[in-house]
Amino acid sequence: LGCGTAYHSCLIGENLLQSNFNEVNSSLASNYEVYDKIKKNHLHIIVSQSGETADCIKVAEKIKSHSGKILLITNQENSTMSKLADYQILTKAKKELAVASTKTYCAQVFTFIYIHKILHNRNYEIDIDTFVKNLNQYLSGINICPVVEELSNDDKLILVGKDIDYITLLEASLKIREIDYIYTLPMYSGELKHGTLSLIDENSKTIVLNTSNDKNKLNNVINEITSRKGRVIDMSYLTNMNVETDFRPIFSIIPFQLLSYHIAISRGLNPDMPRNLAKSVTVE
């Protein structure tokens, strides 16, 4: 359970933990109304950067009133949510000042990866050491400037991917909307032909992401777009690293975080304090 960016990390967690449990479901905290289904043998993982998110607090109180168990994943040790939770994992992302919560998202996803590996009895310390080495090498090689130049003057954008890449694009879309004020539409690749192709013309731009080993997966989608004179920006090349599949959601979101940051700078916007938004949503 989570809201906004935290909810997207929950979707990654659901994808990972399906191999560990009989049933795993993600829900928006603001829309979780199945209180009659809360049972004592159900664990509710609630993700909140601040531990003060109003919708998360409300649902946590309801879960506790039904004797449900809560595991809180948070960046704040002593929060309102901490007092309601039965268990707590701190992401230790240090203080997050920016509204966009970029490092917090990576830490939340990493926490779900960590849980997944422990449940599989993996030697996660070796995996993490390899991850850190690969990440440092990866960060030094990212060049987002050409994409920034391509998109800095646009006001709408389509994002297309499938499987876990689609979840990454949900978060990427949120980042571009909230700090660049660009309308973005994240699409599951197979759904593009079910209506959304009507938006494709010579003025449209579509970002495609594919981190799977099957590099032909989205070729049909790209052909559908280019045959209608749409512009395609393939971001997959930024994630072409030999990294373990579990860690790919972290590697794949970073270029989009950088993209949204640099577009904001190019537009003269403050990427840390977007208009109309607050760091912690403490009202319903």
Side-chain angles (χ1 to χ4, degrees), residues 3-266:
C3 300
T5 287
Y7 172 65
H8 296 154
S9 77
C10 290
L11 292 173
I12 298 288
E14 177 185 350
N15 186 284
L16 289 167
L17 297 178
Q18 283 175 344
S19 63
N20 302 112
F21 296 94
N22 291 331
E23 184 178 354
V24 185
N25 296 298
S26 296
S27 295
L28 287 162
S30 58
N31 196 40
Y32 189 65
E33 301 293 343
V34 290
Y35 304 129
D36 57 317
K37 295 182 180 179
I38 296 173
K39 298 178 182 178
K40 291 183 179 179
N41 65 336
H42 286 185
L43 177 64
H44 296 79
I45 301 178
I46 302 181
V47 184
S48 171
Q49 188 278 143
S50 64
E52 302 295 341
T53 308
D55 289 320
C56 290
I57 292 172
K58 179 182 177 182
V59 75
E61 290 172 341
K62 204 70 177 179
I63 290 168
K64 295 307 294 182
S65 71
H66 286 70
S67 301
K69 293 292 185 181
I70 297 173
L71 164 61
L72 174 65
I73 297 176
T74 184
N75 198 37
Q76 299 294 328
E77 187 168 6
N78 298 307
S79 65
T80 301
M81 284 289 301
S82 299
K83 298 177 179 66
L84 292 167
D86 299 281
Y87 318 102
Q88 177 173 280
I89 297 177
L90 294 175
T91 57
K92 298 185 178 181
K94 296 187 178 180
K95 192 168 185 178
E96 179 85 85
L97 297 176
V99 168
S101 295
T102 48
K103 66 178 179 179
T104 296
Y105 175 77
C106 290
Q108 290 166 348
V109 171
F110 185 88
T111 302
F112 278 115
I113 296 170
Y114 179 82
I115 294 170
H116 168 64
K117 288 185 177 297
I118 289 176
L119 290 172
H120 269 299
N121 296 315
R122 291 285 299 274
N123 190 339
Y124 58 88
E125 292 180 354
I126 294 176
D127 291 339
I128 291 170
D129 285 343
T130 303
F131 162 75
V132 171
K133 291 174 184 176
N134 285 338
L135 183 61
N136 288 334
Q137 178 186 349
Y138 174 66
L139 292 175
S140 66
I142 293 178
N143 178 16
I144 207 71
C145 294
V147 186
V148 174
E149 293 174 6
E150 178 81 27
L151 299 176
S152 59
N153 294 317
D154 290 310
D155 59 5
K156 59 183 178 181
L157 183 64
I158 299 172
L159 310 176
V160 175
K162 66 183 304 181
D163 302 329
I164 205 163
D165 290 333
Y166 171 68
I167 302 173
T168 295
L169 292 178
L170 290 175
E171 175 61 13
S173 172
L174 178 58
K175 294 287 93 67
I176 295 170
R177 288 199 308 273
E178 67 182 337
I179 71 172
D180 299 329
Y181 315 149
I182 296 174
Y183 176 78
T184 56
L185 178 63
M187 290 292 303
Y188 200 88
S189 57
E191 289 296 299
L192 191 67
K193 58 184 175 287
H194 294 289
T196 306
L197 272 178
S198 64
L199 297 176
I200 303 298
D201 58 21
E202 64 275 8
N203 297 315
S204 67
K205 292 180 182 177
T206 303
I207 288 180
V208 172
L209 177 66
N210 178 18
T211 63
S212 74
N213 293 324
D214 182 2
K215 298 307 176 186
N216 296 316
K217 234 174 192 181
L218 293 179
N219 280 351
N220 288 340
V221 171
I222 292 172
N223 291 335
E224 291 275 11
I225 295 169
T226 55
S227 67
R228 290 163 175 79
K229 300 182 180 180
R231 175 88 168 104
V232 173
I233 302 168
D234 190 351
M235 293 279 280
S236 303
Y237 75 98
L238 291 169
T239 61
N240 284 343
M241 279 206 65
N242 185 25
V243 297
E244 185 186 340
T245 302
D246 289 345
F247 289 112
R248 285 179 182 170
I250 296 178
F251 281 77
S252 59
I253 192 58
I254 291 173
F256 289 99
Q257 293 173 341
L258 292 170
L259 176 64
S260 56
Y261 168 81
H262 285 291
I263 289 177
I265 296 300
S266 72

